[in-house]
Amino acid sequence: MEGIGDSGLASKSDYMKFVVSFHHMMVDKKLTLAYEGEVTQDITKAFTAMTEKNLEKVEEDGKIKKKVYHVMVECLQNIAKHADDDKDTASDKLEDGLSKTGIFIIGSDEKEYFITSGNGILNENIPALREMIDNINSLDADGLKELHKFKMRENAISSKGGAGLGFIDIARKTGNPLEYHFEPIDGRSSFFLLKSRISRVKEEQQ
Amino acid sequence: MEPLIIAKKDDTPEIHLDAAAGKFEFSGKSLPEDVSTFYAPVFEWIKNFSATASGEPVFVFKMTYFNTASSKIILDILMRLEEMKNAGKEVSVEWHYGEDDEDMKEAGEEYSEIVEVPFKFVEG
């Protein structure tokens, strides 16, 4: 078997080459964090703390830091709470701590921060999610405010917190539409990708 | 009535509810994984308090961050205060927001539009 952990000389150098190209890819795409694995509350706390420190180092504007923090928490908790994950490691029980597989990527250029999250979703759940995001993207600031108030008041919410409020919050905080993609995995499920963009240009400069 | 005091953590706020001292305060960050379990004692405390409340209690919110799941719970807390007010108690809210934190100010304004409880806004 060739691959990671193989001690054969040829595959070892293949692996090192892969690491080099992976490194180049991260630098090219200006990614500061790329993660694939279990998303839990501890991961959420660790990633947000790390990013907060990084943004302090580059003396990022306080408002922008808060927006990045908001979007990160909602994206990561969204995976932990709502991803459809049937692996043995997945946990949907609050008393055991939530855990779902997903990916999380954050990067930035001089214009914006971009945060991408990805997780499995059952195909039967796609139409409702697509409709929810398209509806959010069709609304202006006032429309989003009204929808936010309506969703907060809505009582039919699970103890994990309702999906939807998080997407509305991301759209309001970023002022940008939510970019998404469903990549088919098999007949049963797909991979849901969500990209949020936070402008680094201060409002008064726009 | 026993006070309810919860120390702050990375992902949960400090809560100080003390009827005898006249202090009713929530401060810090709120992004617990399980909002219902974390806030259950708060609802229990407010339920008992509303039966015996006297004077003009001011509920102070000095939150620096809360996630959307917590935003729903905060609305639930404010709705309990609204019930108290409807029952004739002089309850009010003091909503603090950081200097320049427009989003936190707006969140408070939005709550004040939903619940019929007097809000006072304090910057800094």
Side-chain angles (χ1 to χ4, degrees), chain A residues 41 45 52 63 66-67 69-70 73-74 77 81 94 97-98 145 148-149 152-154 157 159 165 169 172-173, chain B residues 10-11 29 31-36 64-69 71-72 75 79 100-101 103 106 110-111 113-114:
Chain A
Q41 179 74 355
K45 287 194 279 185
E52 272 189 316
K63 284 182 189 175
K66 282 212 162 217
K67 286 182 199 293
Y69 187 87
H70 265 270
V73 173
E74 294 303 327
Q77 290 192 328
K81 290 172 181 179
L94 283 164
L98 299 171
K145 184 182 169 176
H148 185 248
K149 280 205 264 186
M152 265 206 302
R153 269 179 295 194
E154 223 177 22
I157 230 169
S159 57
L165 214 45
D169 190 56
R172 293 185 77 192
K173 292 280 171 356
Chain B
D10 292 350
D11 55 358
K29 283 181 182 179
L31 58 144
E33 184 166 42
D34 183 357
V35 284
S36 303
T64 53
Y65 168 79
F66 49 84
N67 66 352
T68 53
S71 71
K72 172 75 177 78
L75 178 61
M79 283 174 154
D100 261 4
D101 192 349
D103 287 340
E106 241 178 78
E110 217 164 282
Y111 284 130
E113 291 166 19
I114 301 174

Side-chain angles (χ1 to χ4, degrees), chain A residues 78-144:
Chain A
N78 197 43
I79 297 173
K81 290 172 181 179
H82 301 294
D84 293 321
D85 180 2
D86 54 10
K87 286 205 188 74
D88 292 342
T89 48
S91 162
D92 220 353
K93 292 201 181 90
L94 283 164
E95 52 272 30
D96 302 334
L98 299 171
S99 179
K100 302 282 178 56
T101 308
I103 60 163
F104 182 80
I105 296 167
I106 178 165
S108 64
D109 57 26
E110 48 293 323
K111 282 200 201 117
E112 61 188 19
Y113 288 94
F114 38 93
I115 294 168
T116 311
S117 57
N119 57 262
I121 180 169
L122 291 173
N123 289 341
E124 68 207 50
N125 295 331
I126 292 177
L129 181 56
R130 190 190 291 275
E131 194 187 330
M132 183 173 15
I133 298 177
D134 286 345
N135 178 43
I136 290 167
N137 284 345
S138 74
L139 298 171
D140 62 6
D142 288 340
L144 285 171

Side-chain angles (χ1 to χ4, degrees), chain B residues 31 35-36 47 50 55 57 61 64 72 76 83-85 88-89 96 98-99 111-113:
Chain B
L31 58 144
V35 284
S36 303
K47 192 175 129 199
S50 57
F61 290 84
T64 53
K72 172 75 177 78
D76 281 347
E83 282 168 21
M84 278 172 65
K85 187 164 177 297
K89 315 273 185 188
H96 293 245
E99 206 180 313
Y111 284 130
S112 73
E113 291 166 19

Side-chain angles (χ1 to χ4, degrees), chain A:
Chain A
M1 190 191 103
E2 285 199 18
I4 298 165
D6 196 304
S7 59
L9 248 184
S11 64
K12 199 176 192 175
S13 84
D14 280 353
Y15 174 69
M16 292 304 179
K17 275 180 192 155
F18 160 74
V19 174
V20 170
S21 66
F22 187 70
H23 177 220
H24 283 315
M25 221 157 58
M26 283 195 72
V27 173
D28 280 353
K29 297 280 179 195
K30 299 180 170 29
L31 308 183
T32 45
L33 171 67
Y35 175 81
E36 195 278 336
E38 291 297 303
V39 176
T40 61
Q41 179 74 355
D42 282 342
I43 287 285
T44 302
K45 287 194 279 185
F47 286 1
T48 48
M50 191 175 97
T51 304
E52 272 189 316
K53 276 209 178 113
N54 287 342
L55 298 194
E56 265 161 42
K57 258 190 257 167
V58 298
E59 295 179 354
E60 188 53 86
D61 179 74
K63 284 182 189 175
I64 295 167
K65 267 195 289 198
K66 282 212 162 217
K67 286 182 199 293
V68 172
Y69 187 87
H70 265 270
V71 174
M72 285 185 75
V73 173
E74 294 303 327
C75 285
L76 289 162
Q77 290 192 328
N78 197 43
I79 297 173
K81 290 172 181 179
H82 301 294
D84 293 321
D85 180 2
D86 54 10
K87 286 205 188 74
D88 292 342
T89 48
S91 162
D92 220 353
K93 292 201 181 90
L94 283 164
E95 52 272 30
D96 302 334
L98 299 171
S99 179
K100 302 282 178 56
T101 308
I103 60 163
F104 182 80
I105 296 167
I106 178 165
S108 64
D109 57 26
E110 48 293 323
K111 282 200 201 117
E112 61 188 19
Y113 288 94
F114 38 93
I115 294 168
T116 311
S117 57
N119 57 262
I121 180 169
L122 291 173
N123 289 341
E124 68 207 50
N125 295 331
I126 292 177
L129 181 56
R130 190 190 291 275
E131 194 187 330
M132 183 173 15
I133 298 177
D134 286 345
N135 178 43
I136 290 167
N137 284 345
S138 74
L139 298 171
D140 62 6
D142 288 340
L144 285 171
K145 184 182 169 176
E146 286 312 308
L147 182 64
H148 185 248
K149 280 205 264 186
F150 175 78
K151 283 273 179 189
M152 265 206 302
R153 269 179 295 194
E154 223 177 22
N155 284 319
I157 230 169
S158 73
S159 57
K160 292 187 292 179
L165 214 45
F167 293 129
I168 299 166
D169 190 56
I170 294 171
R172 293 185 77 192
K173 292 280 171 356
T174 64
N176 288 319
L178 305 166
E179 294 168 33
Y180 66 91
H181 174 69
F182 294 101
E183 181 71 24
I185 298 172
D186 52 36
R188 210 174 137 259
S189 57
S190 297
F191 203 67
F192 166 60
L193 289 172
L194 179 76
K195 184 182 175 193
S196 316
R197 294 182 294 113
I198 298 149
S199 173
R200 295 184 76 173
V201 184
K202 283 186 217 162
E203 277 157 37
E204 52 266 38
Q205 293 171 354
Q206 275 176 344

